[in-house]
Amino acid sequence: METKTNSQTLSVGVIGTGSMGTRHALNLHRAVGSARVAAVYDLDQVRARHVAGMCGGALVFDDPERLINDPRVNAVMIVSPDDTHARLTLACLQAGKPVLSEKPLATSVEDAVRLLEAEVALGQRLVSVGFMRRFDPQHVAVKTTVTDGTLGRPLLFKGVHRNASVPYGTTGETILINSAGHDFDSARWLLGEEVHEVFVRGLRSRADLHPDTKDLLLIEMALTNDSLADVEVYVNADYGYEVSAEVVCQHGSAITTLADNVLVRSEAQRAHPISKDWLARFQNAYVLEVAEWIESIQERRPFRGANTWDGYMTMLITGSCIESFHSCTVKSLNVPPKPALYQ
Ligand code: ISE
């Protein structure tokens, strides 16, 4: 049953209905009055039908490209596995439809270049990338503080990124592509500079992990305007999910505060609860992100979050980090000039 339809309502197709895709579909369905989930696709058709039902009876597709090209779909969210993002985003560009791709935009530098070139050739910004921290109120407060200039020039980004656990055998490359990409984006966004050099070192945190696993990574980056970044990504932290971002400036520093707003006093302790995963920690950010994306399409203006250039730069940094991780050497990036489309 359709719940919200009028001539202004944007019909969105959601590709991928795993936990993240379901969350995006429900956020769109429940929190964005001017759009509706019109279509869904998932390789698991039972799961797709279930989510379609929860979203008021969306159409269920058995092929993602058919969903993208269907005239009843105005815009697309890509929330399928990481290695499908680039191909499906390119299909959206070819169909001339706005697309919000979950991060990473691509899983290889070559694919990221292809997307950047395709969008530049089109001369129109259709691609948005789901770096949701840019909408998280705590991160936005740090950004606002740093950009208002009272703390002086930003010098150093310090990031902490901890997952409770990841599947056995998760590789350093996967951690760099799937998790650390957020921190690369945060460093660039909060410092307002581009990364030009990286160095990565890792360790295995416990003997019962796969022998080749390195699940705690330390990443150092040099950015333009003589600024630096240092990031810990630890994906088997066990106790919960936590992200923090600090920017050290010439006359002070700004750091994200506790996101879980309650202080609990119990059993002779004062404690703040910690989220179990990113879906809980960043729920507000996901809603703000999808609402802004819809508004940007309806107002025919660029999305205020990350664009193809940001997705491309993240993959360029990730590629150099993978090389550094394997060779244990410092890697320099070859950053091309930013195309006028993204200025
Ligand atoms: C996951 O895919 C996310 O996007 C989360 O935000 C991130 O913190 C986590 O490490 C990733 O695995």
Side-chain angles (χ1 to χ4, degrees), residues 103 132-133 160-167 170 174-175 178-180 182-183 205-206 215-216 232-243 274-279 281-282:
K103 43 55 58 177
M132 77 301 183
R133 291 185 192 175
V160 174
H161 183 172
R162 298 186 186 142
N163 285 17
S165 63
V166 289
T170 297
T174 299
I175 297 166
N178 182 264
S179 297
H182 281 294
D183 307 292
S205 67
R206 296 197 317 258
D215 57 331
L216 192 162
E232 169 206 319
V233 185
Y234 177 25
V235 294
N236 284 312
D238 207 32
Y239 67 87
Y241 177 80
E242 238 182 338
V243 166
I274 292 175
S275 306
K276 201 165 59 47
D277 61 25
W278 53 91
L279 294 179
R281 163 64 183 88
F282 287 110

Side-chain angles (χ1 to χ4, degrees), residues 45-336:
Q45 291 278 285
V46 174
R47 192 161 77 172
R49 278 196 290 277
H50 182 63
V51 173
M54 288 197 291
C55 294
L59 298 167
V60 177
F61 283 73
D62 60 6
D63 175 341
E65 314 240 354
R66 284 232 309 278
L67 178 150
I68 290 168
N69 289 297
D70 192 287
R72 291 167 292 184
V73 170
N74 308 133
V76 180
M77 291 180 89
I78 298 176
V79 208
S80 44
D82 290 357
D83 61 357
T84 64
H85 294 179
R87 176 174 59 83
L88 296 172
T89 302
L90 192 61
C92 291
L93 278 178
Q94 284 159 351
K97 293 194 181 169
V99 51
L100 173 61
S101 169
E102 252 308 324
K103 43 55 58 177
L105 178 62
T107 51
S108 73
V109 175
E110 295 70 29
D111 280 352
V113 170
R114 210 165 290 135
L115 281 171
L116 188 71
E117 287 177 351
E119 195 174 55
V120 168
L122 198 65
Q124 191 191 355
R125 277 163 61 168
L126 288 179
V127 179
S128 305
V129 186
F131 284 119
M132 77 301 183
R133 291 185 192 175
R134 292 182 181 224
F135 296 91
D136 170 57
Q138 278 85 16
H139 282 75
V140 171
V142 170
K143 174 75 179 166
T144 308
T145 306
V146 170
T147 29
D148 92 359
T150 46
L151 300 183
R153 183 169 77 81
L155 307 171
L156 170 67
F157 168 82
K158 294 171 81 162
V160 174
H161 183 172
R162 298 186 186 142
N163 285 17
S165 63
V166 289
Y168 183 81
T170 297
T171 64
E173 283 179 30
T174 299
I175 297 166
L176 288 166
I177 292 172
N178 182 264
S179 297
H182 281 294
D183 307 292
F184 304 150
D185 186 65
S186 293
R188 294 178 57 249
W189 174 61
L190 289 172
L191 293 172
E193 303 292 342
E194 290 299 6
V195 173
H196 63 82
E197 206 172 76
V198 299
F199 179 66
V200 183
R201 194 191 283 279
L203 60 75
R204 183 168 68 135
S205 67
R206 296 197 317 258
D208 62 332
L209 299 175
H210 187 284
D212 297 334
T213 287
K214 292 217 175 16
D215 57 331
L216 192 162
L217 304 182
L218 264 192
I219 305 162
E220 278 177 31
M221 298 182 270
L223 292 91
T224 46
N225 200 22
D226 203 20
S227 50
L228 297 170
D230 122 39
V231 176
E232 169 206 319
V233 185
Y234 177 25
V235 294
N236 284 312
D238 207 32
Y239 67 87
Y241 177 80
E242 238 182 338
V243 166
S244 77
E246 179 177 15
V247 179
V248 181
C249 303
Q250 287 170 316
H251 309 299
S253 97
I255 185 165
T256 50
T257 48
L258 297 172
D260 314 279
N261 299 315
V262 65
L263 174 67
V264 180
R265 293 185 170 89
S266 155
E267 298 182 0
Q269 297 219 352
R270 273 190 298 265
H272 293 278
I274 292 175
S275 306
K276 201 165 59 47
D277 61 25
W278 53 91
L279 294 179
R281 163 64 183 88
F282 287 110
Q283 167 60 6
N284 286 346
Y286 291 124
V287 170
L288 292 167
E289 175 184 72
V290 75
E292 154 59 17
W293 178 59
I294 296 296
E295 205 175 290
S296 72
I297 298 168
Q298 287 171 329
E299 293 177 357
R300 296 174 192 279
R301 59 162 174 80
F303 176 59
R304 295 201 173 97
N307 57 36
T308 308
W309 172 255
D310 301 309
Y312 160 79
M313 275 307 302
T314 299
M315 192 56 232
L316 203 60
I317 299 165
T318 305
S320 299
C321 281
I322 291 172
E323 288 177 22
S324 173
F325 173 70
H326 288 309
S327 62
C328 216
T329 58
V330 173
K331 289 288 163 192
S332 295
L333 278 71
N334 215 341
V335 182

